[in-house]
Amino acid sequence: GSPLGGSFSGTGISGSSFFPSVAGTGSHTITYTYTDGDGCTNTQGQIVTVTSLPTVSFSGLSATYCASNSPDVLSGTPAGGTFSGPGIVGSTFDPSLAGVGTHTIQYMYSNGGGCADSTTQSVTVNADSPFLSVDSVSTTEAACDSTCDATAEVIGSGGVAPYTYAWSNGDVGVIADSLCASTFFITV
């Protein structure tokens, strides 16, 4: 206040500071009172309006994604705020742009009264699941004389190498040999 040496009074005043959180929402009159050396007193009042923080939230973001999942459109409340964080383009979250890992997505909104608030959500982007395929299976038939001399070979690709092969007859590896005429299964 001016001249120096006066005092402030009103709801939310402590010393010469105004604390909106103490005053609460609504209109408040803040008064500055000054008394000069001759004992003359003058006061000046001003109305201060405290607006509440906006209640901010957003939806549309899943907790987890695979890196190749399609982007999701996010919706903030109240409308008109701004999204930020890895993988955000406007109001869209794109897991491929965010990359593998755990990320924080923020929605910030500022109301007409100059009050701003934000909220965040965590999202995890996982690497795409590797799929294994069996590219070829080749066999030789057992001889007609009941000799167990057939072989089978399987070639796999994709997934995460190196591969392990377990045949239903107990063989391991790409090739199973000494097979008798029968049906066999392989786990890659």
Side-chain angles (χ1 to χ4, degrees):
S2 178
L4 294 176
S7 62
F8 288 96
S9 62
T11 306
I13 293 292
S14 178
S16 62
S17 298
F18 175 68
F19 294 93
S21 61
V22 173
T25 58
S27 295
H28 306 281
T29 301
I30 307 301
T31 303
Y32 182 72
T33 303
Y34 176 78
T35 303
D36 67 13
D38 295 326
C40 295
T41 301
N42 196 3
T43 60
Q44 176 69 42
Q46 183 172 347
I47 296 176
V48 175
T49 302
V50 177
T51 58
S52 61
L53 282 175
T55 302
V56 178
S57 65
F58 71 93
S59 61
L61 185 69
S62 296
T64 59
Y65 290 85
C66 289
S68 64
N69 285 145
S70 297
D72 273 338
V73 175
L74 308 180
S75 176
T77 303
T82 304
F83 287 98
S84 62
I88 294 294
V89 176
S91 61
T92 300
F93 174 73
D94 188 336
S96 67
L97 293 177
V100 174
T102 300
H103 309 289
T104 300
I105 305 303
Q106 180 182 50
Y107 180 69
M108 179 172 279
Y109 174 81
S110 180
N111 66 16
C115 294
D117 201 6
S118 66
T119 186
T120 61
Q121 293 181 27
S122 291
V123 59
T124 300
V125 178
N126 296 311
D128 290 324
S129 176
F131 293 101
L132 175 69
S133 64
V134 174
D135 294 332
S136 68
V137 176
S138 58
T139 60
T140 59
E141 292 189 29
C144 292
D145 60 3
S146 299
T147 307
C148 296
D149 61 355
T151 62
E153 179 180 10
V154 66
I155 305 292
S157 67
V160 179
Y163 309 117
T164 58
Y165 300 86
W167 294 88
S168 59
N169 72 337
D171 282 352
V172 293
V174 174
I175 299 174
D177 56 13
S178 302
L179 300 175
C180 299
S182 185
T183 301
F184 297 92
F185 300 95
I186 184 168
T187 302
V188 181

